[in-house]
């Protein structure tokens, strides 16, 4: 279901049960009861009882269409329960678990779920425990390097990796657990790669180097999201032009781009609102302005309209209108206003000064700005 979504189209689903040694894990409150559907499903050999002869994996298989990877969880916790003393692992334990030789059912997990179904396989969790007391002292038995090296050399060798070619991933359990129940009061140290345990880590790296050609190594900076300036010693780690991690330019774009978009949309909205408001004001003036029919009978301009004789008239065209207007040498008696065809005032013909006397200084003037 997840993989049908665009948001999770790179998701791989892993089915990785705990290895079946010790199955069916006792009879307790949560065990399937005879006569129930769960009991019948777990009774894989159909002998009417749940025993080690039943397949520990089959009843839990979700189906090919739901699984991309298969895997097993494999640990060394001690030689025998209760696991309170340190012990050296069996030298073929990991391989035995994969092919089922340690199971009464002989369920071959690697063949059944990886080879036959064409699924890549992983060891989903693995580690060998070294027991410590709470005060840091060790419990009886071998030291940490001996225990853990015996364990990892089972899967860090060319023969094993060649035989199990479908094994594509091994995940180490890098944890110190606090013991419970029979292991109460103890620390369970599974760590291999912790730098504070130099003897363990150095031994692991030496063995890993012998099989390094069998592995594909990931870039250490592949998911680095912290930018650091390049140095002469450090190369281009996290630099603007490097291909590792998220660059500073990309991070800046992620922050700045939404701000620019929002500011642009806001500016456009303000501009559009002002334009609509101006159009509304213009329409209102058209509605309120008097029509030509409101001129008085003497033709002296718009009725009841006063002319401010201190106004500046721009782009005035002078023309003679006959004896309707009387203009002296030093004054203008009448200014007649008219509206343009679109209803607005102004422009070249927005206002006309009308002289009527021959020889008037206004007679032949070019359209200019005239201050009255």
């Amino acid at each position: 279901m997840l993989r049908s979504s665009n948001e999770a189209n790179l998701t791989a689903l892993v089915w990785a049960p705990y290895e079946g040694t010790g199955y069916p894990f006792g009879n307790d409150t949560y065990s399937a009861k005879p006569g129930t559907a769960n009991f019948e499903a777990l009774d894989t050999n159909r002998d009417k009882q749940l025993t080690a002869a039943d397949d520990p994996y089959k009843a839990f298989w979700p189906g090919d269409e739901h699984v991309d990877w298969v895997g097993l969880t494999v640990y060394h916790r001690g030689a025998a329960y209760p696991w309170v003393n340190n012990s050296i692992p069996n030298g073929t334990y990991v391989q035995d678990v994969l092919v089922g030789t340690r199971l009464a059912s002989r369920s071959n997990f690697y063949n059944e779920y990886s080879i036959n179904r064409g699924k890549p396989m992983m060891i989903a969790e693995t580690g060998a425990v070294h027991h410590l007391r709470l005060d840091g002292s060790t419990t009886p038995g071998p030291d940490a390097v001996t225990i853990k090296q015996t364990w990892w050399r089972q899967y860090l060798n060319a023969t094993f990796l060649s035989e199990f070619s479908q094994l594509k991933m091994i995940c180490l359990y890098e944890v110190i657990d606090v013991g419970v129940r029979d292991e109460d009061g103890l620390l369970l140290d599974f760590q291999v790669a912790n730098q504070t345990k130099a003897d363990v880590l150095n031994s692991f790296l030496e063995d890993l180097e012998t099989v390094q050609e069998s592995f594909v190594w990931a870039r250490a900076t592949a998911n680095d999201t912290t930018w650091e300036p390049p140095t002469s010693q450090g190369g281009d780690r996290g630099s603007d032009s490097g291909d590792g991690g998220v660059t500073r330019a990309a991070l800046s774009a992620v922050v700045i781009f939404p701000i620019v978009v929002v500011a642009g949309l806001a500016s456009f909205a303000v501009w559009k609102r002002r334009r609509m408001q101006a159009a509304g004001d213009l329409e209102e003036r058209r509605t309120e302005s008097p029509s030509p029919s409101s001129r008085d009978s003497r033709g002296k301009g718009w009725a009841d309209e006063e002319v401010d004789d201190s106004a500046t008239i721009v782009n005035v065209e002078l023309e003679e209108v006959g004896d309707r207007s009387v203009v002296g040498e030093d004054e203008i008696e009448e200014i007649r206003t008219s509206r343009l065809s679109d209803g607005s005032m102004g422009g070249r013909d927005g206002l006309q000064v009308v002289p009527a006397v021959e020889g008037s200084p206004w007679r032949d003037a070019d359209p200019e700005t005239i201050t009255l």
Side-chain angles (χ1 to χ4, degrees):
M1 179 175 68
L2 286 175
R3 283 173 289 136
S4 66
S5 167
N6 291 332
E7 291 77 11
N9 59 357
L10 297 179
T11 299
L13 301 183
V14 182
W15 178 67
Y18 203 99
E19 60 107 342
T21 302
Y23 184 82
F25 310 127
N27 184 16
D28 58 26
T29 304
Y30 301 102
S31 297
K33 301 300 186 291
T36 64
N38 286 340
F39 187 95
E40 293 183 7
L42 294 171
D43 180 20
T44 58
N45 63 359
R46 299 294 183 262
D47 64 354
K48 305 300 182 182
Q49 53 186 332
L50 298 184
T51 66
D54 291 308
D55 190 321
Y57 312 119
K58 183 177 180 180
F60 302 96
W61 174 247
D64 285 19
E65 68 276 19
H66 302 300
V67 177
D68 297 305
W69 285 66
V70 297
L72 279 178
T73 295
V74 188
Y75 286 107
H76 168 69
R77 303 187 70 95
Y81 186 84
W83 304 303
V84 294
N85 294 322
N86 294 313
S87 64
I88 298 177
N90 181 292
T92 61
Y93 191 94
V94 176
Q95 178 174 327
D96 293 346
V97 164
L98 295 185
V99 298
T101 56
R102 300 181 64 84
L103 300 177
S105 64
R106 294 293 189 268
S107 300
N108 190 321
F109 187 96
Y110 180 76
N111 282 345
E112 177 63 25
Y113 297 102
S114 181
I115 298 298
N116 295 346
R117 300 176 189 272
K119 307 289 185 181
M121 183 174 174
M122 68 171 68
I123 296 179
E125 287 183 17
T126 192
V129 68
H130 181 245
H131 292 92
L132 302 170
R133 296 188 180 91
L134 295 180
D135 61 7
S137 61
T138 62
T139 61
D143 63 85
V145 174
T146 303
I147 293 172
K148 296 181 181 184
Q149 189 174 57
T150 302
W151 184 256
W152 73 56
R153 282 183 173 177
Q154 296 185 48
Y155 55 79
L156 285 186
N157 69 81
T159 302
F160 175 87
L161 295 173
S162 176
E163 182 176 351
F164 296 95
S165 58
Q166 280 291 93
L167 184 63
K168 306 296 185 181
M169 185 183 301
I170 301 171
C171 303
L172 305 183
Y173 186 64
E174 288 291 301
V175 172
I176 297 179
D177 283 334
V178 177
V180 295
R181 293 190 288 275
D182 292 308
E183 296 173 298
D184 187 31
L186 297 176
L187 298 177
L188 284 58
D189 178 13
F190 292 93
Q191 292 181 331
V192 168
N194 192 302
Q195 295 182 357
T196 63
K197 301 176 175 64
D199 53 347
V200 175
L201 176 59
N202 290 336
S203 297
F204 178 76
L205 293 177
E206 289 175 3
D207 287 341
L208 183 61
E209 187 175 357
T210 65
V211 292
Q212 61 179 326
E213 299 299 327
S214 300
F215 292 89
V216 177
W217 300 95
R219 282 174 53 89
T221 58
N223 294 317
D224 186 4
T225 58
T226 302
W227 182 85
E228 293 181 6
T231 64
S232 57
Q233 294 81 16
D236 66 347
R237 180 181 181 274
S239 67
D240 286 346
S241 59
D243 61 354
V246 179
T247 65
R248 181 174 59 174
L251 290 174
S252 299
V254 169
V255 174
I256 295 174
F257 180 73
I259 297 175
V260 173
V261 171
V262 171
L265 292 174
S267 298
F268 176 76
V270 171
W271 171 81
K272 188 171 183 180
R273 179 178 177 84
R274 288 179 177 175
R275 187 174 180 183
M276 294 176 63
Q277 185 175 5
D281 292 344
L282 178 59
E283 183 65 26
E284 184 178 350
R285 287 198 300 271
R286 289 179 179 176
T287 305
E288 295 177 354
S289 299
S291 64
S293 62
S294 65
R295 291 175 178 272
D296 62 17
S297 59
R298 295 174 296 172
K300 284 191 175 182
W302 306 106
D304 301 324
E305 184 173 355
E306 296 181 358
V307 177
D308 183 358
D309 60 4
S310 67
T312 298
I313 304 174
V314 182
N315 291 335
V316 175
E317 181 177 350
L318 304 180
E319 68 178 19
E320 186 175 352
V321 190
D323 59 2
R324 289 187 300 161
S325 302
V326 180
V327 181
E329 290 289 328
D330 300 319
E331 62 180 328
I332 297 176
E333 178 183 316
E334 175 184 281
I335 295 176
R336 181 172 62 116
T337 61
S338 63
R339 288 185 175 272
L340 300 178
S341 60
D342 65 357
S344 65
M345 298 295 293
R348 184 176 178 83
D349 298 322
L351 298 177
Q352 294 177 331
V353 176
V354 186
V357 179
E358 293 294 336
S360 167
W362 310 102
R363 171 79 179 173
D364 299 318
D366 292 329
E368 293 292 341
T369 299
I370 302 173
T371 301
L372 302 181

